Amino acid sequence: MFDRIYEKDVAISGIGQSEVGRPSGKTAMRLTLDACLEAIADAGLSRDDIDGVSCWPGDNNNGDAFSPIGPNALISTLGLKVNWYGGGYEGPGPLAGVINGAMAIAAGLCRHVLVFRTITEATRRQTDKGASALTNKTVGRDNSFFWQWYTPFNVLSGANLMALYAQRHFHEYGTTPEQLAQIALTCRANAALNPKAVFRTPLTMEDYMASRMISTPLRMLDCDVHCDASTAIILSRADAAKDGPNPPIRIDAIGAALHQSWSWDQIDLTAMATRDAADMMWARTDLKPADVGSAQLYDGFSILTMMWLEALRLCPRGESGPFVEGGARIALGGEMPINTNGGQLSGGRTHGLGYVHEACSQLWGRAGARQVARHHATVVASGGGPLAGSLLLVKD
């Protein structure tokens, strides 16, 4: 199907992450510099080596807390001389910055691309409680083709949309609240071992069931935790990555497909775009789901993690409920550890790139108390609704 899989020529050579605050006392740029400079040093590089910059979605709304720093600001502040840079909202979700950066390297435009993602919603929500609401991003934008159909129906947050998916999954497959709860409980148990995590106190099934309903069947503890943070990774040409201090983590396959309408409601409500992205990824590799030793799966809402488990064929379609039931399979010592840093439900909404950072930490054996058994392949998946992207990462 594919003559050449270009992403195989690209590797992750370094990672960095700022503090994760709720809120942080640092500015968005300070958080970004903390993460980026750490990643550059981790890769054994200097600023002069960086010839590409990529992020998602970029600063497309004058410093909005969802993405307050874009490539232009970072390039200017770091004094970089780049051959390519990019950032923009339309693409396969939060991993778009990684995918675009990898393609720039594979096309010969760059040798080392700095990919970053900064978010400061915790600070903004101190003065604007609707800072992360979907309508806050769409109301008043008369030229928004898609959102004009949602906001009249009182779509106030992502929870309203994700609840549709969850309710349909419950209806189609018999998924139960107790099964859904295991995503939140597992993330909290993992977060307890992550010094940067926002929430580290123990969480019980009783606590979960007692948390208030936000949009049936999603409770408060099914929703991710807003924070201030920046995460950065260095993508390098594979041959160049071999010269660095870290064993290269190769991008073995990318999933970015969208074979249906870009819509939050006119799609397969029990799979979303996750299936398209996952199918594309597996078509670009000789590896199989059985080769995956851990998974960092988007948990902006807990139901999304379960859908990614199915889409990536880590369990059969419709069986994510029984698969996660009891939590043993997805725990750190289980057959498929997930969201080992606490995910976004407890670790903090680092929004996409945090999963890549954790995947690399696991593959390099840096995860400390939350380190899972040695493995050479992990999967990262991010996005919900019509936004979906995935990466298969391999440490040879």
Side-chain angles (χ1 to χ4, degrees):
M1 181 177 181
F2 301 101
D3 293 332
R4 183 181 175 191
I5 313 300
Y6 289 89
E7 58 264 40
K8 295 183 190 296
D9 296 332
V10 182
I12 297 173
S13 57
I15 59 175
Q17 189 174 65
S18 71
E19 69 178 33
V20 180
R22 186 175 162 88
S24 169
K26 296 184 177 182
T27 65
M29 181 55 80
R30 182 67 263 172
L31 292 170
T32 306
L33 292 176
D34 287 349
C36 292
L37 292 174
E38 181 179 288
I40 293 170
D42 188 47
L45 302 174
S46 71
R47 281 181 283 175
D48 291 338
D49 295 310
I50 303 300
D51 55 0
V53 171
S54 180
C55 77
W56 180 92
D59 179 12
N60 57 7
N61 195 28
N62 297 318
D64 182 86
F66 181 67
S67 185
I69 304 294
N72 292 337
L74 182 63
I75 290 168
S76 297
T77 303
L78 282 179
L80 301 178
K81 298 177 181 178
V82 299
N83 296 324
W84 174 90
Y85 64 98
Y89 179 75
E90 294 190 51
L95 294 178
V98 179
I99 295 170
N100 292 340
M103 293 302 96
I105 291 175
L109 300 178
C110 311
R111 184 178 174 88
H112 300 288
V113 174
L114 170 59
V115 184
F116 72 98
R117 175 77 174 101
T118 303
I119 196 163
T120 54
E121 288 183 325
T123 290
R124 183 64 59 84
R125 282 172 66 85
Q126 290 186 308
T127 56
D128 178 7
K129 294 298 184 184
S132 65
L134 293 174
T135 46
N136 190 63
K137 300 179 176 64
T138 59
V139 169
R141 298 183 187 180
D142 296 335
N143 62 344
S144 172
F145 175 79
F146 295 101
W147 290 104
Q148 64 181 314
W149 308 112
Y150 308 141
T151 50
F153 294 94
N154 210 30
V155 176
L156 298 177
S157 75
N160 301 135
L161 292 169
M162 293 303 109
L164 296 175
Y165 299 117
Q167 195 66 52
R168 189 66 183 181
H169 204 277
F170 278 37
H171 173 76
E172 290 284 345
Y173 305 123
T175 310
T176 68
E178 290 79 9
Q179 292 170 340
L180 187 64
Q182 291 302 329
I183 305 300
L185 297 180
T186 298
C187 285
R188 181 62 62 87
N190 295 345
L193 304 174
N194 177 9
K196 287 188 176 181
V198 172
F199 291 145
R200 303 179 63 198
T201 56
L203 184 66
T204 66
M205 181 67 76
E206 291 72 23
D207 295 329
Y208 173 86
M209 291 298 180
S211 68
R212 64 189 177 93
M213 193 68 72
I214 301 299
S215 190
T216 306
L218 300 180
R219 292 173 162 81
M220 182 178 68
L221 291 173
D222 290 308
C223 307
D224 61 11
V225 181
H226 300 101
C227 66
D228 298 340
S230 183
T231 307
I233 70 168
I234 303 297
L235 296 176
S236 298
R237 208 173 65 193
D239 60 345
K242 294 178 181 178
D243 299 329
N246 303 312
I249 294 176
R250 183 168 45 82
I251 300 179
D252 193 68
I254 282 172
L258 181 64
H259 294 168
Q260 52 196 304
S261 174
W262 196 102
S263 171
W264 289 87
D265 59 349
Q266 301 300 317
I267 60 177
D268 183 345
L269 293 181
T270 62
M272 311 174 299
T274 58
R275 177 69 60 174
D276 297 340
D279 285 350
M280 174 185 171
M281 186 190 78
W282 290 121
R284 298 173 71 83
T285 179
D286 293 328
L287 297 178
K288 306 298 180 186
D291 296 312
V292 173
S294 67
Q296 312 298 332
L297 308 178
Y298 195 71
D299 59 344
F301 299 93
S302 53
I303 188 63
L304 297 176
T305 305
M306 297 178 70
M307 289 187 175
W308 272 115
L309 281 168
E310 297 176 14
L312 291 162
R313 306 176 199 170
L314 301 177
C315 72
R317 184 167 185 176
E319 296 185 19
S320 59
F323 185 82
V324 305
E325 190 166 359
R329 286 191 182 95
I330 57 175
L332 292 179
E335 63 187 74
M336 184 53 60
I338 67 166
N339 301 354
T340 50
N341 64 346
Q344 297 187 162
L345 293 179
S346 287
R349 177 183 157 91
T350 50
H351 212 238
L353 221 56
Y355 300 107
V356 182
H357 184 279
E358 177 65 12
C360 294
S361 295
Q362 289 288 342
L363 290 176
W364 280 329
R366 299 184 188 176
R370 64 184 187 277
Q371 181 68 49
V372 302
R374 184 183 298 273
H375 57 291
H376 79 285
T378 188
V379 67
V380 178
S382 190
L387 294 85
S390 60
L391 305 171
L392 185 62
L393 304 180
V394 175
K395 183 171 75 70
D396 293 326

